[in-house]
Amino acid sequence: MEIAVLDGIKADDYPPIELVCPRCDATVMQRFAGPCEACFVVLRREFAAVAQAVEKTEYVPKMNVTPNAVALKDD
Ligand SMILES: [Zn+2]
């Protein structure tokens, strides 16, 4: 069985390192680069996407071309 890439990554292989939060410039110890824990919470709260129902509109093809006289000609 093939092992997915993420299955082969163990979080424990990446100990927390000193990083600077790109948002508040605080020096924090964390595994991966990105916002610190405090900023993460704020960003999640402010920018969390909310699922909403979208009404589907029926596709009506637009007629851009008028049939030419040859195509309409009766035989
Ligand atoms: Zn921060």
Side-chain angles (χ1 to χ4, degrees):
M1 199 176 110
E2 195 176 315
I3 298 170
V5 175
L6 290 176
D7 290 344
I9 295 173
K10 295 185 202 83
D12 294 341
D13 290 346
Y14 301 90
I17 53 171
E18 203 174 284
L19 293 166
V20 175
C21 172
R23 185 170 181 264
C24 68
D25 290 331
T27 302
V28 288
M29 295 294 288
Q30 57 185 25
R31 256 183 198 125
F32 303 109
C36 69
E37 193 77 27
C39 287
F40 184 78
V41 171
V42 173
L43 291 167
R44 260 294 158 100
R45 194 176 53 222
E46 289 181 0
F47 297 104
V50 179
Q52 50 185 305
V54 179
E55 202 170 310
K56 224 161 61 174
T57 53
E58 198 182 327
Y59 173 67
V60 181
K62 198 166 124 191
M63 181 64 86
N64 287 324
V65 184
T66 52
N68 65 31
V70 175
L72 294 174
K73 189 177 161 192
D74 288 326
D75 288 322

